[in-house]
Amino acid sequence: MPQSDQHTPRAGHFAMPGIEALAAPPGLVIRMAEAFAFSSGLAASVGAALTVAASLAFDGPETLRTAFLAASGTFIIYNLDRFRDLDRDRITSPRRTDFVRGHRRLLYLLVGSAAIGFAGVLRTGPPALVVLCFAIGCVGLFHRRMKRFPAWKATYFSVSWSAACVGLPWLGSRAELSAGAWVSALFVTSLAANLIASNLRDDEAMSFPGGHRIILWIARAFVVVAILIAAFGPSEFRALVWIPVFEGLALSQFRRTERYGHLAVDGALLLGALGASIQLSWPT
């Protein structure tokens, strides 16, 4: 998910039980989790899981195709951004930058493989799917220049992610436009909360009146809006409430550290999407 800076946790932010252990030298499990996140594997998994959840909500017939396109496209775009902006990323996410530098050849190979798979699957899709993927890809490739403006970044990122994770399965389904609008609204608000929190450690955030504390509450407000959308939306989409619920849990105990941002804040989206998918696919 979005990039974040590393700073000392702000006084007044409470820790989740056991979170203090994250400050200790990482053990095997933490190192594996960091490798998963720093290689953009977590971002790709979030893209796939959100797409699967949306596809199940739409009763779409091409869940695997759209999930693969979302996952591989995310993996490609995120790693290309890492390769092109290592110097700036070292300031904001030094642990991730060290990982990318140390595993650059392997990541090149994985990105190339993902690109081949992405192209092979995309060429078999309908023209509308190709156009949507091209448009989202263009936004991703220009991300390096646009991400310097936090408010604008949260807007176009949440819309782009929603376009991919909702638009791809919606195009392959027979769901009505209103269904796509409901799910998009829930995804955009949930993703906006994630993006705002992930960028909370940016120096630019200090220019906002009220500083970090106000911004964190804005992110939490987006979570509340997403939950309300799920609660008052069509009943077939209410299982998607797990997405903002898990994100809200992560934000309720927010820590301004690089590791918490990459693992907890972004991981909450993955857990929420998995929870929603399980409920949507559960026999009724």
Side-chain angles (χ1 to χ4, degrees):
M1 300 305 296
Q3 319 318 314
S4 43
D5 295 341
Q6 185 181 32
H7 287 286
T8 303
R10 188 179 182 88
H13 288 185
F14 299 98
M16 295 177 63
I19 286 298
E20 292 82 357
L22 295 182
L28 177 60
V29 174
I30 294 297
R31 290 200 302 271
M32 292 176 62
E34 285 187 334
F36 183 56
F38 295 164
S39 65
S40 299
L42 176 56
S45 297
V46 169
L50 289 173
T51 304
V52 168
S55 183
L56 291 171
F58 295 142
D59 197 20
E62 297 186 336
T63 299
L64 291 179
R65 182 213 294 266
T66 54
F68 177 81
L69 288 174
S72 57
T74 300
F75 186 80
I76 294 166
I77 289 174
Y78 269 58
N79 273 297
L80 289 179
D81 181 65
R82 307 280 190 268
F83 298 150
R84 296 165 61 196
D85 214 7
L86 281 173
D87 291 337
R88 186 175 186 272
D89 275 356
R90 174 166 290 283
I91 300 173
T92 59
S93 297
R95 295 177 65 86
R96 186 183 62 200
T97 301
D98 290 341
F99 178 89
V100 173
R101 286 188 184 277
H103 300 83
R104 190 181 304 189
R105 291 186 178 181
L106 175 58
L107 290 173
Y108 283 158
L109 177 62
L110 292 175
V111 169
S113 300
I116 293 172
F118 181 88
V121 172
L122 186 61
R123 68 184 299 271
T124 64
L129 196 70
V130 176
V131 171
L132 179 59
C133 287
F134 177 78
I136 296 170
C138 288
V139 173
L141 292 176
F142 281 103
H143 168 62
R144 184 187 180 192
R145 297 183 180 277
M146 297 189 292
K147 68 181 181 181
R148 300 175 182 177
F149 308 98
W152 169 233
K153 177 181 177 181
T155 302
Y156 78 78
F157 238 60
S158 57
V159 171
S160 298
W161 267 82
S162 182
C165 299
V166 179
L168 292 177
W170 181 82
L171 286 175
S173 72
R174 296 183 178 180
E176 297 181 357
L177 181 61
S178 59
W182 273 106
V183 178
S184 293
L186 190 150
F187 275 40
V188 166
T189 47
S190 299
L191 289 162
N194 171 276
L195 291 155
I196 292 170
S198 294
N199 289 289
L200 193 56
R201 295 184 300 277
D202 288 348
D203 292 335
E204 292 91 338
M206 291 306 297
S207 63
F208 190 88
H212 293 96
R213 186 176 295 275
I214 296 299
I215 294 177
L216 180 58
W217 279 106
I218 291 174
R220 290 168 176 167
F222 272 103
V223 168
V224 173
V225 172
I227 292 174
L228 291 175
I229 291 172
F232 292 99
S235 59
E236 59 267 32
F237 301 145
R238 286 180 186 164
L240 298 173
V241 73
W242 289 111
I243 298 169
V245 164
F246 271 92
E247 190 62 31
L249 289 174
L251 298 189
S252 68
Q253 303 293 339
F254 185 77
R255 303 280 295 194
R256 288 173 54 201
T257 63
E258 181 184 3
R259 189 176 291 160
Y260 192 90
H262 290 310
L263 300 183
V265 177
D266 292 346
L269 287 177
L270 177 59
L271 293 176
L274 291 176
S277 298
I278 292 172
Q279 183 171 341
L280 287 166
S281 58
W282 200 264
T284 57

